[in-house]
Amino acid sequence: MAKSIVHLHNHTYHSLKDAISSSNQLAELAAKNGQPALAISDHGNLIGAIEHYKACKSYNIKPILGCEIYLATKSARVSNRTEGNKTTHLTVFASTNEGWSNLIKIISDAHINGLGSGKPRVDKSFLKQHSKGLIALSGCQSSQLSKAILDDNIEAAKATIEEMQSIFGK
């Protein structure tokens, strides 16, 4: 069996500061390189999900739908200026139809109730209520886990892993 790779952390032009690629360009490259699937994980939105799905299907590769959410370390309903209420990143993918529905709820709530910092944030309690059918990655360098590791705070890193496992399962 030939080895293949699936890129999971991809931004399109729907993540304005991070990428200029379209889903079609990404899907074409993935197909050209023999990749069986391709994920989308734009920042704080699902705007490109249908475009991504159609592009992947047109190149006969499996679309993986997700988002890099802005996660409030305390509450998404109060300003980031509140002491210790920082925003980190968390990459989340739908693994089932229920997961897709939950991801839509999470992003919708983030845009309706979580704009205290100017970014559509979600808090962990809301995430936990809507985590079924979702898979979370450890995240980029702006994730809570990465920040703990970069700060050489292994205890905080372990606590973050345990907290994420309590939200998403092992």
Side-chain angles (χ1 to χ4, degrees):
M1 181 174 162
K3 291 184 179 181
S4 62
I5 186 170
V6 174
H7 291 282
L8 296 175
H9 193 144
N10 297 297
H11 301 301
T12 70
Y13 56 75
H14 296 292
S15 289
L16 296 176
K17 293 182 180 179
D18 289 323
I20 59 170
S21 300
S22 69
S23 286
N24 194 64
Q25 290 168 319
L26 294 173
E28 182 180 15
L29 270 171
K32 184 195 276 186
N33 290 307
Q35 297 172 13
L38 179 67
I40 186 175
S41 57
D42 283 323
H43 282 285
N45 75 74
L46 299 169
I47 296 167
I50 293 172
E51 176 185 328
H52 178 74
Y53 181 89
K54 288 179 178 181
C56 287
K57 288 297 189 180
S58 74
Y59 287 98
N60 200 30
I61 59 176
K62 180 180 179 173
I64 301 172
L65 303 176
C67 183
E68 188 167 357
I69 63 174
Y70 298 109
L71 185 63
T73 54
K74 291 190 177 179
S75 174
R77 277 126 177 96
V78 298
S79 169
N80 266 10
R81 293 183 188 96
T82 304
E83 177 123 0
N85 193 36
K86 299 183 185 323
T87 300
T88 62
H89 296 191
L90 183 67
T91 308
V92 181
F93 297 106
S95 63
T96 64
N97 286 338
E98 182 178 16
W100 176 243
S101 178
N102 280 330
L103 190 55
I104 290 170
K105 289 175 189 170
I106 290 165
I107 296 305
S108 295
D109 182 76
H111 281 270
I112 294 167
N113 298 309
L115 289 172
S117 70
K119 293 180 179 178
R121 299 171 304 147
V122 66
D123 52 46
K124 293 172 187 171
S125 63
F126 191 86
L127 194 59
K128 187 167 188 153
Q129 293 171 28
H130 300 90
S131 63
K132 192 164 184 186
L134 297 177
I135 297 171
L137 301 184
S138 56
C140 67
Q141 67 185 16
S142 295
S143 74
Q144 187 175 353
L145 178 61
S146 293
K147 287 181 177 190
I149 292 169
L150 291 170
D151 289 342
D152 203 26
N153 189 340
I154 300 307
E155 291 306 313
K158 287 179 183 178
T160 298
I161 292 168
E162 289 172 6
E163 183 177 35
M164 290 299 123
Q165 286 179 336
S166 77
I167 293 172
F168 296 101
K170 290 187 176 185

